[in-house]
Each structure stands twice: as structure tokens, then as C-alpha cells.
Amino acid sequence: MLDQCHNIEPKIPGQIRSVMNVQEATAKALLVDTAALAAAQQAGDVLGAHGVLMDAYNTDVRPLLADLRAEQGLDPDPMAAYAASGYGEKIVAGRVGGQQAGWGA
């Protein structure tokens, strides 16, 4: 579950960004060299274990995720795809009074 509070940013692009952040974090977690991490843990090598985790954390997985989306027939850039779809403008135009509902409504 994503807990969102979009008081400043638009809701749908904010949700898209949150999902992309989860995808990036998951991809990085899958890159952890678990054998090296286990070996460092067994040896009591705190800095070595930290290094293994940081190697995965510092990997730029965005190109990999873009390729994966393309292989699945999706736009490699979800934010650009949403912007190009015109959906945001369409739902704004369809609002009664043209204002987004929210806490101040």
C-alpha cells in the first residue's frame, strides 16, 4: 500500500512517481549479492556487509527498468507517457468548477 498525501503535487503523477520509487528499490534489493552479504555477516565484517548493500543501493537501475517496461510493451518512461496521454488535462476539464477536491473543498 502506498500512503499518499498530495497536497502540492498532482495526485496521479505523484502515485506514478511512488510506484517507480518502489520498483527501483525492489530492483536494487534484487541486486544484493546475498552470498557475499552472508559471508561478510558470518565473518562479522560490518563494513564489508555495508559495502555489499551499498553496491546494490548505488546501482542505477532506471535503464534496466525502462528496458523491462519496453519488453512488456509499456512505455519505458511512465511519467512521460502520462503527460503525453492528456489524461490529466481531460480530468481537470471535467471537474465541476474546475477545482480539485481536497481538504479545503
Side-chain angles (χ1 to χ4, degrees):
M1 178 173 84
L2 294 174
D3 185 15
Q4 299 290 296
C5 183
H6 302 291
N7 293 327
I8 298 173
E9 62 189 17
K11 291 181 182 185
I12 294 174
Q15 284 284 350
I16 293 169
R17 175 63 58 208
S18 293
V19 168
M20 290 174 67
N21 288 341
V22 169
Q23 290 172 338
E24 288 180 27
T26 301
K28 289 178 179 189
L30 292 171
L31 290 176
V32 172
D33 183 342
T34 55
L37 179 60
Q41 289 172 326
Q42 289 296 320
D45 182 3
V46 174
L47 292 176
H50 181 260
V52 170
L53 293 174
M54 292 308 296
D55 285 345
Y57 177 79
N58 290 323
T59 301
D60 185 2
V61 296
R62 293 172 298 170
L64 174 68
L65 291 171
D67 290 345
L68 179 61
R69 290 183 192 107
E71 286 175 17
Q72 294 176 341
L74 303 170
D75 193 300
D77 184 348
M79 293 297 285
Y82 175 74
S85 75
Y87 182 72
E89 293 81 11
K90 178 182 173 185
I91 60 175
V92 167
R95 289 189 184 127
V96 175
Q99 294 296 319
Q100 178 175 340
W103 291 105

mmCIF file of all heavy atoms in Angstrom, residues 27-59:
data_model
loop_
_atom_site.group_PDB
_atom_site.id
_atom_site.type_symbol
_atom_site.label_atom_id
_atom_site.label_comp_id
_atom_site.label_asym_id
_atom_site.label_seq_id
_atom_site.Cartn_x
_atom_site.Cartn_y
_atom_site.Cartn_z
ATOM 1 N N ALA A 27 14.235 -3.456 -7.383
ATOM 2 C CA ALA A 27 15.304 -3.884 -8.290
ATOM 3 C C ALA A 27 16.651 -3.849 -7.579
ATOM 4 O O ALA A 27 17.465 -4.762 -7.718
ATOM 5 C CB ALA A 27 15.322 -2.998 -9.539
ATOM 6 N N LYS A 28 16.887 -2.819 -6.794
ATOM 7 C CA LYS A 28 18.148 -2.716 -6.059
ATOM 8 C C LYS A 28 18.269 -3.829 -5.024
ATOM 9 O O LYS A 28 19.354 -4.389 -4.831
ATOM 10 C CB LYS A 28 18.272 -1.347 -5.400
ATOM 11 C CG LYS A 28 18.497 -0.236 -6.404
ATOM 12 C CD LYS A 28 18.565 1.120 -5.742
ATOM 13 C CE LYS A 28 18.819 2.201 -6.784
ATOM 14 N NZ LYS A 28 19.108 3.503 -6.176
ATOM 15 N N ALA A 29 17.169 -4.148 -4.367
ATOM 16 C CA ALA A 29 17.193 -5.237 -3.377
ATOM 17 C C ALA A 29 17.529 -6.566 -4.052
ATOM 18 O O ALA A 29 18.245 -7.400 -3.479
ATOM 19 C CB ALA A 29 15.852 -5.330 -2.657
ATOM 20 N N LEU A 30 17.042 -6.753 -5.274
ATOM 21 C CA LEU A 30 17.328 -7.985 -6.001
ATOM 22 C C LEU A 30 18.784 -8.062 -6.465
ATOM 23 O O LEU A 30 19.268 -9.139 -6.783
ATOM 24 C CB LEU A 30 16.382 -8.119 -7.195
ATOM 25 C CG LEU A 30 14.907 -8.350 -6.839
ATOM 26 C CD1 LEU A 30 14.035 -8.236 -8.081
ATOM 27 C CD2 LEU A 30 14.733 -9.695 -6.163
ATOM 28 N N LEU A 31 19.476 -6.923 -6.498
ATOM 29 C CA LEU A 31 20.869 -6.887 -6.914
ATOM 30 C C LEU A 31 21.850 -7.198 -5.784
ATOM 31 O O LEU A 31 23.036 -7.366 -6.028
ATOM 32 C CB LEU A 31 21.217 -5.510 -7.490
ATOM 33 C CG LEU A 31 20.590 -5.172 -8.833
ATOM 34 C CD1 LEU A 31 20.940 -3.742 -9.220
ATOM 35 C CD2 LEU A 31 21.054 -6.143 -9.910
ATOM 36 N N VAL A 32 21.352 -7.267 -4.558
ATOM 37 C CA VAL A 32 22.252 -7.543 -3.428
ATOM 38 C C VAL A 32 22.893 -8.913 -3.626
ATOM 39 O O VAL A 32 22.207 -9.911 -3.869
ATOM 40 C CB VAL A 32 21.489 -7.487 -2.086
ATOM 41 C CG1 VAL A 32 22.366 -7.966 -0.931
ATOM 42 C CG2 VAL A 32 20.976 -6.081 -1.814
ATOM 43 N N ASP A 33 24.198 -8.948 -3.542
ATOM 44 C CA ASP A 33 24.948 -10.197 -3.635
ATOM 45 C C ASP A 33 24.776 -10.917 -2.298
ATOM 46 O O ASP A 33 25.515 -10.689 -1.344
ATOM 47 C CB ASP A 33 26.421 -9.898 -3.917
ATOM 48 C CG ASP A 33 27.263 -11.140 -4.101
ATOM 49 O OD1 ASP A 33 26.835 -12.248 -3.697
ATOM 50 O OD2 ASP A 33 28.375 -11.006 -4.641
ATOM 51 N N THR A 34 23.762 -11.783 -2.237
ATOM 52 C CA THR A 34 23.410 -12.416 -0.963
ATOM 53 C C THR A 34 24.504 -13.337 -0.442
ATOM 54 O O THR A 34 24.688 -13.447 0.776
ATOM 55 C CB THR A 34 22.076 -13.177 -1.078
ATOM 56 O OG1 THR A 34 22.147 -14.114 -2.156
ATOM 57 C CG2 THR A 34 20.919 -12.212 -1.321
ATOM 58 N N ALA A 35 25.247 -13.965 -1.334
ATOM 59 C CA ALA A 35 26.340 -14.833 -0.880
ATOM 60 C C ALA A 35 27.439 -13.998 -0.232
ATOM 61 O O ALA A 35 27.953 -14.353 0.844
ATOM 62 C CB ALA A 35 26.900 -15.643 -2.053
ATOM 63 N N ALA A 36 27.798 -12.882 -0.859
ATOM 64 C CA ALA A 36 28.825 -12.006 -0.282
ATOM 65 C C ALA A 36 28.333 -11.385 1.022
ATOM 66 O O ALA A 36 29.101 -11.243 1.980
ATOM 67 C CB ALA A 36 29.207 -10.921 -1.275
ATOM 68 N N LEU A 37 27.056 -11.043 1.065
ATOM 69 C CA LEU A 37 26.492 -10.469 2.285
ATOM 70 C C LEU A 37 26.528 -11.494 3.415
ATOM 71 O O LEU A 37 26.935 -11.185 4.538
ATOM 72 C CB LEU A 37 25.057 -9.992 2.043
ATOM 73 C CG LEU A 37 24.330 -9.390 3.231
ATOM 74 C CD1 LEU A 37 25.062 -8.161 3.769
ATOM 75 C CD2 LEU A 37 22.898 -9.038 2.853
ATOM 76 N N ALA A 38 26.130 -12.723 3.126
ATOM 77 C CA ALA A 38 26.142 -13.778 4.143
ATOM 78 C C ALA A 38 27.565 -14.049 4.632
ATOM 79 O O ALA A 38 27.791 -14.227 5.844
ATOM 80 C CB ALA A 38 25.512 -15.055 3.593
ATOM 81 N N ALA A 39 28.509 -14.054 3.708
ATOM 82 C CA ALA A 39 29.908 -14.296 4.095
ATOM 83 C C ALA A 39 30.414 -13.185 5.003
ATOM 84 O O ALA A 39 31.081 -13.451 6.019
ATOM 85 C CB ALA A 39 30.784 -14.409 2.854
ATOM 86 N N ALA A 40 30.086 -11.952 4.661
ATOM 87 C CA ALA A 40 30.514 -10.826 5.495
ATOM 88 C C ALA A 40 29.851 -10.890 6.868
ATOM 89 O O ALA A 40 30.493 -10.621 7.893
ATOM 90 C CB ALA A 40 30.181 -9.506 4.801
ATOM 91 N N GLN A 41 28.583 -11.267 6.891
ATOM 92 C CA GLN A 41 27.880 -11.388 8.174
ATOM 93 C C GLN A 41 28.505 -12.484 9.032
ATOM 94 O O GLN A 41 28.731 -12.297 10.236
ATOM 95 C CB GLN A 41 26.393 -11.667 7.936
ATOM 96 C CG GLN A 41 25.650 -10.475 7.385
ATOM 97 C CD GLN A 41 24.232 -10.825 6.965
ATOM 98 O OE1 GLN A 41 23.950 -11.930 6.485
ATOM 99 N NE2 GLN A 41 23.321 -9.877 7.127
ATOM 100 N N GLN A 42 28.792 -13.626 8.430
ATOM 101 C CA GLN A 42 29.393 -14.745 9.169
ATOM 102 C C GLN A 42 30.772 -14.382 9.718
ATOM 103 O O GLN A 42 31.157 -14.819 10.797
ATOM 104 C CB GLN A 42 29.499 -15.988 8.277
ATOM 105 C CG GLN A 42 28.173 -16.640 7.977
ATOM 106 C CD GLN A 42 27.501 -17.198 9.226
ATOM 107 O OE1 GLN A 42 28.148 -17.769 10.093
ATOM 108 N NE2 GLN A 42 26.188 -16.998 9.326
ATOM 109 N N ALA A 43 31.493 -13.564 8.962
ATOM 110 C CA ALA A 43 32.833 -13.160 9.383
ATOM 111 C C ALA A 43 32.804 -11.986 10.361
ATOM 112 O O ALA A 43 33.847 -11.590 10.868
ATOM 113 C CB ALA A 43 33.662 -12.791 8.159
ATOM 114 N N GLY A 44 31.608 -11.453 10.603
ATOM 115 C CA GLY A 44 31.499 -10.292 11.483
ATOM 116 C C GLY A 44 32.057 -9.032 10.840
ATOM 117 O O GLY A 44 32.436 -8.088 11.538
ATOM 118 N N ASP A 45 32.098 -9.014 9.533
ATOM 119 C CA ASP A 45 32.647 -7.890 8.779
ATOM 120 C C ASP A 45 31.536 -6.874 8.494
ATOM 121 O O ASP A 45 30.894 -6.907 7.441
ATOM 122 C CB ASP A 45 33.274 -8.404 7.482
ATOM 123 C CG ASP A 45 33.926 -7.318 6.646
ATOM 124 O OD1 ASP A 45 33.951 -6.142 7.076
ATOM 125 O OD2 ASP A 45 34.411 -7.651 5.546
ATOM 126 N N VAL A 46 31.333 -5.977 9.430
ATOM 127 C CA VAL A 46 30.254 -4.999 9.317
ATOM 128 C C VAL A 46 30.467 -4.085 8.114
ATOM 129 O O VAL A 46 29.529 -3.821 7.350
ATOM 130 C CB VAL A 46 30.127 -4.171 10.617
ATOM 131 C CG1 VAL A 46 29.105 -3.053 10.458
ATOM 132 C CG2 VAL A 46 29.771 -5.072 11.782
ATOM 133 N N LEU A 47 31.678 -3.606 7.934
ATOM 134 C CA LEU A 47 31.947 -2.718 6.807
ATOM 135 C C LEU A 47 31.830 -3.445 5.473
ATOM 136 O O LEU A 47 31.368 -2.871 4.482
ATOM 137 C CB LEU A 47 33.328 -2.074 6.943
ATOM 138 C CG LEU A 47 33.455 -1.074 8.102
ATOM 139 C CD1 LEU A 47 34.879 -0.567 8.207
ATOM 140 C CD2 LEU A 47 32.486 0.076 7.916
ATOM 141 N N GLY A 48 32.240 -4.696 5.427
ATOM 142 C CA GLY A 48 32.094 -5.487 4.206
ATOM 143 C C GLY A 48 30.625 -5.696 3.852
ATOM 144 O O GLY A 48 30.231 -5.556 2.692
ATOM 145 N N ALA A 49 29.814 -6.017 4.859
ATOM 146 C CA ALA A 49 28.380 -6.194 4.635
ATOM 147 C C ALA A 49 27.750 -4.883 4.170
ATOM 148 O O ALA A 49 26.930 -4.868 3.245
ATOM 149 C CB ALA A 49 27.700 -6.694 5.906
ATOM 150 N N HIS A 50 28.168 -3.807 4.809
ATOM 151 C CA HIS A 50 27.666 -2.494 4.412
ATOM 152 C C HIS A 50 28.035 -2.199 2.964
ATOM 153 O O HIS A 50 27.211 -1.673 2.194
ATOM 154 C CB HIS A 50 28.224 -1.419 5.348
ATOM 155 C CG HIS A 50 27.736 -0.051 5.031
ATOM 156 N ND1 HIS A 50 28.492 0.843 4.324
ATOM 157 C CD2 HIS A 50 26.557 0.570 5.305
ATOM 158 C CE1 HIS A 50 27.803 1.970 4.184
ATOM 159 N NE2 HIS A 50 26.631 1.829 4.771
ATOM 160 N N GLY A 51 29.248 -2.530 2.580
ATOM 161 C CA GLY A 51 29.693 -2.315 1.206
ATOM 162 C C GLY A 51 28.874 -3.098 0.196
ATOM 163 O O GLY A 51 28.545 -2.581 -0.879
ATOM 164 N N VAL A 52 28.547 -4.337 0.537
ATOM 165 C CA VAL A 52 27.719 -5.163 -0.356
ATOM 166 C C VAL A 52 26.360 -4.505 -0.569
ATOM 167 O O VAL A 52 25.866 -4.408 -1.704
ATOM 168 C CB VAL A 52 27.551 -6.595 0.212
ATOM 169 C CG1 VAL A 52 26.507 -7.381 -0.576
ATOM 170 C CG2 VAL A 52 28.880 -7.331 0.217
ATOM 171 N N LEU A 53 25.764 -4.053 0.517
ATOM 172 C CA LEU A 53 24.452 -3.402 0.411
ATOM 173 C C LEU A 53 24.550 -2.090 -0.365
ATOM 174 O O LEU A 53 23.689 -1.787 -1.199
ATOM 175 C CB LEU A 53 23.864 -3.150 1.803
ATOM 176 C CG LEU A 53 23.491 -4.401 2.591
ATOM 177 C CD1 LEU A 53 23.053 -4.029 3.995
ATOM 178 C CD2 LEU A 53 22.415 -5.198 1.882
ATOM 179 N N MET A 54 25.597 -1.322 -0.106
ATOM 180 C CA MET A 54 25.745 -0.037 -0.789
ATOM 181 C C MET A 54 26.024 -0.208 -2.280
ATOM 182 O O MET A 54 25.594 0.624 -3.087
ATOM 183 C CB MET A 54 26.846 0.796 -0.122
ATOM 184 C CG MET A 54 26.487 1.267 1.286
ATOM 185 S SD MET A 54 24.892 2.120 1.409
ATOM 186 C CE MET A 54 25.199 3.568 0.411
ATOM 187 N N ASP A 55 26.724 -1.278 -2.652
ATOM 188 C CA ASP A 55 26.945 -1.547 -4.076
ATOM 189 C C ASP A 55 25.613 -1.698 -4.802
ATOM 190 O O ASP A 55 25.426 -1.147 -5.898
ATOM 191 C CB ASP A 55 27.789 -2.804 -4.280
ATOM 192 C CG ASP A 55 29.255 -2.583 -3.974
ATOM 193 O OD1 ASP A 55 29.691 -1.407 -3.882
ATOM 194 O OD2 ASP A 55 29.981 -3.590 -3.824
ATOM 195 N N ALA A 56 24.696 -2.426 -4.207
ATOM 196 C CA ALA A 56 23.378 -2.595 -4.818
ATOM 197 C C ALA A 56 22.593 -1.283 -4.770
ATOM 198 O O ALA A 56 21.973 -0.879 -5.764
ATOM 199 C CB ALA A 56 22.602 -3.702 -4.107
ATOM 200 N N TYR A 57 22.635 -0.613 -3.641
ATOM 201 C CA TYR A 57 21.877 0.627 -3.459
ATOM 202 C C TYR A 57 22.324 1.708 -4.449
ATOM 203 O O TYR A 57 21.502 2.474 -4.953
ATOM 204 C CB TYR A 57 22.028 1.126 -2.022
ATOM 205 C CG TYR A 57 21.341 2.443 -1.767
ATOM 206 C CD1 TYR A 57 19.969 2.505 -1.554
ATOM 207 C CD2 TYR A 57 22.065 3.633 -1.749
ATOM 208 C CE1 TYR A 57 19.337 3.713 -1.329
ATOM 209 C CE2 TYR A 57 21.438 4.844 -1.524
ATOM 210 C CZ TYR A 57 20.068 4.883 -1.315
ATOM 211 O OH TYR A 57 19.462 6.089 -1.105
ATOM 212 N N ASN A 58 23.615 1.777 -4.724
ATOM 213 C CA ASN A 58 24.150 2.824 -5.589
ATOM 214 C C ASN A 58 24.076 2.499 -7.079
ATOM 215 O O ASN A 58 24.493 3.309 -7.907
ATOM 216 C CB ASN A 58 25.596 3.149 -5.199
ATOM 217 C CG ASN A 58 25.658 3.856 -3.867
ATOM 218 O OD1 ASN A 58 24.802 4.670 -3.536
ATOM 219 N ND2 ASN A 58 26.674 3.542 -3.072
ATOM 220 N N THR A 59 23.546 1.346 -7.423
ATOM 221 C CA THR A 59 23.403 0.964 -8.828
ATOM 222 C C THR A 59 22.220 1.709 -9.440
ATOM 223 O O THR A 59 21.124 1.733 -8.867
ATOM 224 C CB THR A 59 23.171 -0.552 -8.958
ATOM 225 O OG1 THR A 59 24.289 -1.234 -8.368
ATOM 226 C CG2 THR A 59 23.024 -0.972 -10.409
#
